[in-house]
């Protein structure tokens, strides 16, 4: 029998796909294959979580967040300052999103928006991405479960 074709270097492929900002089925397959490896780098898991948000794959996001929560060193999330008293949270959220803010105040604004009935999906997706950037897996898991139920 002829030798099996060589397996592509998954990390090199993942780096290429990440640079190209690919979110198609092939990219998902590569990042999921990496995620199944016991020594998978945290950055690939975070990238996969972002892809699940972009593709609105909430049950997969919830499972990945649970996996990350289990493997992450236990750290306490420090209490956040009180949300700014802002009558128009959406305008503030849009401003923070444009500025790509990921600080405590930004999280507070998006969490306050998320509590409002009829919160737009884009704000929930932004909050999920902030949780990934901040490595707040427990919060990400809870938000993914909420999104999964709403879908």
């Amino acid at each position: 029998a002829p030798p099996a074709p060589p397996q592509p270097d998954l990390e090199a492929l993942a780096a290429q796909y990440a640079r190209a900002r690919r979110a198609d089925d092939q990219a998902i397959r590569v990042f999921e294959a990496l995620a199944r490896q016991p020594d998978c780098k945290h950055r690939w898991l975070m990238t996969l979580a972002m892809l699940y948000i972009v593709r609105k794959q909430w049950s997969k996001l919830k499972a990945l967040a649970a996996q990350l929560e289990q493997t992450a060193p236990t750290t306490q999330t420090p209490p956040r300052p009180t949300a700014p008293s802002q009558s128009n949270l959406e305008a503030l959220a849009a401003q923070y999103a444009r500025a790509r803010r990921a600080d405590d105040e930004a999280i507070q604004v998006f969490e306050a928006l998320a509590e409002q009935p009829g919160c737009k999906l884009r704000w929930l997706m932004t909050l999920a991405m902030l949780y990934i950037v901040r490595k707040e897996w427990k919060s990400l898991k809870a938000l993914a479960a909420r999104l999964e139920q709403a879908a």
Side-chain angles (χ1 to χ4, degrees), residues 49 52-53 57-66 128 132 140 144 147:
Y52 286 155
I53 293 169
Q57 293 180 299
W58 310 126
S59 59
K60 286 185 172 190
L61 178 64
K62 184 177 76 175
L64 182 57
I132 292 169
L140 179 64
L147 287 162

Side-chain angles (χ1 to χ4, degrees), residues 13-104:
L13 210 47
Q16 178 186 336
Y17 289 176
R19 275 192 306 277
R21 300 188 191 292
R22 283 184 58 173
D24 55 59
D25 291 346
Q26 177 59 28
I28 289 280
R29 280 193 289 275
V30 166
F31 288 105
E32 285 178 339
L34 272 174
R36 284 190 293 275
Q37 296 181 353
D39 58 345
C40 180
K41 290 183 177 137
H42 221 76
R43 69 181 282 212
W44 302 131
L45 298 174
M46 292 170 70
T47 302
L48 180 59
M50 296 273 193
L51 290 176
Y52 286 155
I53 293 169
V54 169
R55 292 174 60 116
K56 300 178 179 76
Q57 293 180 299
W58 310 126
S59 59
K60 286 185 172 190
L61 178 64
K62 184 177 76 175
L64 182 57
Q67 175 188 336
L68 285 161
E69 184 184 21
Q70 291 298 316
T71 60
T74 53
T75 55
Q76 292 290 6
T77 303
R80 297 196 219 292
T82 320
S85 57
Q86 174 77 21
S87 58
N88 194 347
L89 280 175
E90 285 210 28
L92 195 56
Q95 177 188 334
Y96 286 1
R98 277 192 305 276
R100 299 187 192 282
R101 283 186 55 174
D103 55 47
D104 286 345

Side-chain angles (χ1 to χ4, degrees), residues 58 61 121 124-125 128 142-151:
W58 310 126
L61 178 64
L121 182 61
L124 298 174
M125 292 170 71
L143 181 56
R146 175 181 164 185
L147 287 162
E148 181 185 33
Q149 292 229 309

